[in-house]
Amino acid sequence: MKLIECVPNFSEGRRAEVVQEIVGAITAVQGIRVLDRSSDASHNRSVITFVGDPMAVKKAAFTAAQKAAELIDMEQHRGEHPRMGATDVIPLIPVSGVSMEDCIALARELGREIGEKLQIPVYLYEEAAALPERKNLAAVRRGEYEGLKKAIEKPHRHPDFGPLRLHPTAGATAVGARPPLIAYNINLDSSDVNIARKIARSIRGSNGGYPSIKALGVLIKESNRAQVTINVCNYRHVPLSRIFETVKSEAARYGVGVSGSEVIGLLPMEALLDAAAFYLRLQDFHPGQVLEKRLMEGEKEGR
Amino acid sequence: MKLIECVPNFSEGRRAEVVQEIVGAITAVQGIRVLDRSSDASHNRSVITFVGDPMAVKKAAFTAAQKAAELIDMEQHRGEHPRMGATDVIPLIPVSGVSMEDCIALARELGREIGEKLQIPVYLYEEAAALPERKNLAAVRRGEYEGLKKAIEKPHRHPDFGPLRLHPTAGATAVGARPPLIAYNINLDSSDVNIARKIARSIRGSNGGYPSIKALGVLIKESNRAQVTINVCNYRHVPLSRIFETVKSEAARYGVGVSGSEVIGLLPMEALLDAAAFYLRLQDFHPGQVLEKRLMEGEKEGR
């Protein structure tokens, strides 16, 4: 079963009825499941998580962008979060049975369709970026909606698809592809936040650690315990087991133990199967041995 | 999503066309997936693994038993494996969204239907047993098809459903409910099979270990390595992590290491999620956080 996750961000976090109409446009597409939705009033922004097969995801993302263009006027939009369009970003994430390349190809098809049919300029970002400097979303969105009105005319800011001017109400949209991001926290049995900070530095890319790892050391007030809070941006490059064991051994170097870890929100089954396979030293294991996985893939033949 | 696994055993392992007709009757039921099928000529027996929602599983199991009664004549059947009927056993196994109690209730409905509509005597066994002495399938099947012809007349051998005599060609059928069985092997970095045997004794129920664990020490010829080969009959009672860690520490007592472990065939996702949660010390984790699990359950609401 081919599954892609899509997590579009819309520039509306206050008018519940508008968000509901956008969600409605997504759920109306056959084969689509909305897994999560959250709106933030101060950011005036909503994030919707849905999954489905590639064609259904493309259709749902397009109709959602169309609906957002009808209902959201960027001329009126105010909010803390950086944004450049009614549908601000559309990341596509491979979940099962599809490769990153599939998601990149789909991002380009979707971007072309939004650009041409909705006349909204589209920038490809992250893994789908056509230009290296557009891998970074912040660079693509520089100047935000207001600044991009003029900046878009400069050749190096020209969109990848659609007109060379912002849509009068919907602005511009970034469409990209990326691996699933896992929000993973590891708790220390210490209240010394400096130890958590040192451990965070030892694993994160910005200090010479794993390039796909972002990490901070924080103090959890409720428990008065230090925590290493981590974004795992590519669990295939750095599995949870390696992160957990590295943090455990770094903590031991300070005479501190690890009391536990937490996954915040959703994660792909594979990330936990990998951890089980690592610790149980599983040999010749493949995910098709998992009953539920076999079911999703709809295989008819057994071992 | 409610899912039950059903693994019926049929007394035909030689005539491929007969097995194919039975598989056809199962796959003809909407919502059923056949995951595995295997036939053994010397046992003259076939095992078919399929899954679906409770009502579909009940329908598929019934039609399969009906088809087997048409095509298999126990008067002609010879084979090494103990058997008492054309459809010899029908175990129902909870996979997701259903409890053991649900499977027990379904086993009784299915048993009643086979008994009354097909006039085949049915014995409830394992978790579904109505009498404690019938929990053990071997006790239910004692005497096999030939011996049961007379024995069935004795009150303590009367079936739970259906006529008080064997079906003239289909014999009798055992219908039961049980947890998923996991075939799990742990490999030692030693060729001393006696160490594997001692470890097997230390964990299996028959020697005072875990009641739901069956284990043997064997020598794997190809690798000339000793192996503890295990049937995990209730992974909720004894998780894989506890088995692996126990075998590891028992092996260390003999100065031997564990080179790895293997899962043979299929296992429920939960068994591996439990292992990941154990080793990563996950706090506040629930399977609904797994993207694929969330999908199967068809939840529309997020965290």
Side-chain angles (χ1 to χ4, degrees), chain B residues 90-152:
Chain B
I90 307 179
L92 300 174
I93 302 140
V95 170
S96 71
V98 295
S99 65
M100 181 57 72
E101 288 60 40
D102 298 331
C103 285
I104 292 170
L106 196 71
R108 295 188 173 159
E109 290 175 33
L110 175 61
R112 177 178 302 282
E113 209 172 312
I114 291 174
E116 293 176 357
K117 295 188 183 165
L118 302 182
Q119 286 296 299
I120 297 170
V122 168
Y123 296 88
L124 295 168
Y125 77 105
E126 287 208 14
E127 304 269 332
L131 304 168
E133 63 270 25
R134 292 186 181 179
K135 281 195 173 302
N136 179 356
L137 179 62
V140 169
R141 201 160 48 192
R142 187 174 301 114
E144 300 191 39
Y145 173 75
E146 293 74 7
L148 204 54
K149 282 182 183 175
K150 287 216 67 62
I152 191 171

Side-chain angles (χ1 to χ4, degrees), chain A residues 17 20 34 51-52 111 122 137 146 160 184 231 239-241 248 298:
Chain A
E17 68 284 5
Q20 186 48 51
V34 171
V51 292
V122 169
L137 179 63
E146 293 76 6
D160 294 290
Y184 185 54
N231 276 351
L240 297 182
S241 57
K248 205 162 68 176

Side-chain angles (χ1 to χ4, degrees), chain A residues 1 3 5 27 32-37 49 51-52 95-96 184 187 240-241 244-245 248 257-273 275-277 279-285 288-303, chain B residues 1 3 5 27 32-37 49 51-52 95-96 184 187 240-241 244-245 248 257-273 275-277 279-285 288-303:
Chain A
M1 185 182 183
L3 275 184
E5 182 183 11
T27 49
I32 290 293
R33 285 249 172 79
V34 171
L35 297 180
D36 196 13
R37 53 188 283 189
T49 303
V51 292
V95 171
S96 72
Y184 185 54
N187 300 312
L240 297 182
S241 57
F244 184 77
E245 290 302 316
K248 205 162 68 176
V258 164
S259 59
S261 72
E262 316 166 334
V263 172
I264 307 301
L266 302 173
L267 82 172
M269 186 196 323
E270 187 187 11
L272 290 175
L273 296 188
Y279 286 107
L280 296 174
R281 302 180 194 173
L282 288 181
Q283 299 164 323
D284 311 320
F285 174 75
Q289 291 179 258
V290 175
L291 203 48
E292 289 87 341
K293 185 89 174 167
R294 178 73 66 91
L295 279 172
M296 297 189 77
E297 288 160 3
E299 291 182 30
K300 298 251 170 194
E301 278 321 299
R303 42 179 148 126
Chain B
M1 183 181 185
L3 276 183
E5 183 184 10
T27 50
I32 290 294
R33 283 251 173 77
V34 172
L35 297 180
D36 195 13
R37 53 187 283 186
T49 304
V51 291
V95 170
S96 71
Y184 185 55
N187 299 311
L240 297 182
S241 56
F244 184 77
E245 290 303 316
K248 205 162 68 176
V258 164
S259 60
S261 72
E262 316 165 337
V263 173
I264 307 302
L266 302 174
L267 82 172
M269 186 196 320
E270 187 187 9
L272 290 175
L273 297 187
Y279 286 108
L280 296 174
R281 303 179 193 176
L282 288 181
Q283 299 164 321
D284 311 320
F285 173 76
Q289 290 180 258
V290 175
L291 204 48
E292 290 88 342
K293 185 89 173 167
R294 178 74 65 92
L295 279 171
M296 297 190 77
E297 286 160 5
E299 295 184 28
K300 296 250 170 199
E301 278 319 298
R303 45 182 144 123

Side-chain angles (χ1 to χ4, degrees), chain B residues 4 6 75 113 128 268:
Chain B
I4 289 179
C6 183
E75 289 294 319
E113 209 172 312

